[in-house]
Amino acid sequence: MTKVDPEVAVLKEQLADAVAQLEALQADAADSEARSATQADRLLALQGEIAEAQSENERLTAQLSSAARRYREARLAAAPEVPADLVTGETPEEIDQQMEAAERVVTEMRERMEKERREQAPSVPAGSPVRRAPDYTGLPSSEKIKVGLEQQTRGTG
């Protein structure tokens, strides 16, 4: 039999190890490529979901804005004494808070104006005094007779 050179045997062994490592690396690379493709597909799916969620968010934001605008108009219509420029909220909560504050302002102004009106108004009631018949109880009898005859001749008695 032929004798194998020890150096050749070592080289064959190293070659076999290198081939095994190469095959392992190729398997790892194939596995990484498969995972990368799976992750790319997942990424595309998630990006699609994000786009749908953003679209839904925009739609819901527009609906909320419209509903808040209608709510504001309804609250202002129910309280016509409140100036519209005092209520500028964009959400129902903001509108409620601003309406409460505006109603307090209106109430305070109304009370202040009423107080000023009372202070400036004369204490005499408006209109003519109530007409009453003259009181003759304090007159002597002869005067009462004289007044009665005068009234009878005038036709007012």
Side-chain angles (χ1 to χ4, degrees):
M1 266 199 93
T2 60
K3 193 171 183 189
V4 178
D5 189 6
E7 196 173 302
V8 172
V10 169
L11 288 175
K12 282 183 180 182
E13 203 176 291
Q14 288 176 350
L15 179 61
D17 287 343
V19 168
Q21 285 179 351
L22 180 62
E23 289 173 355
L25 289 173
Q26 286 175 340
D28 285 347
D31 185 47
S32 293
E33 286 177 10
R35 280 185 299 182
S36 175
T38 302
Q39 293 299 327
D41 291 343
R42 181 160 162 66
L43 178 63
L44 286 174
L46 290 175
Q47 286 174 336
E49 288 178 24
I50 288 172
E52 288 176 20
Q54 287 173 334
S55 174
E56 180 71 6
N57 184 33
E58 289 172 5
R59 185 183 68 78
L60 291 173
T61 300
Q63 280 183 341
L64 175 62
S65 177
S66 176
R69 197 171 31 258
R70 288 191 311 271
Y71 179 67
R72 177 182 174 269
E73 291 168 3
R75 288 289 309 263
L76 287 171
E81 70 278 1
V82 175
D85 57 342
L86 293 180
V87 182
T88 59
E90 294 183 11
T91 65
E93 293 81 15
E94 289 175 354
I95 292 168
D96 286 340
Q97 291 172 351
Q98 291 174 357
M99 277 297 291
E100 289 174 15
E103 287 170 343
R104 279 193 304 271
V105 168
V106 168
T107 301
E108 290 172 8
M109 289 300 294
R110 184 178 289 138
E111 289 171 357
R112 186 177 305 144
M113 290 172 62
E114 181 63 25
K115 181 180 175 185
E116 288 176 7
R117 185 190 63 76
R118 275 185 268 143
E119 289 172 356
Q120 294 175 356
S123 60
V124 177
S128 301
V130 177
R131 301 210 179 217
R132 297 184 192 147
D135 185 15
Y136 299 116
T137 55
L139 293 177
S141 299
S142 62
E143 287 295 316
K144 290 181 188 176
I145 294 171
K146 188 176 173 184
V147 169
L149 290 173
E150 285 176 6
Q151 288 178 348
Q152 194 173 22
T153 56
R154 276 187 281 159
T156 60

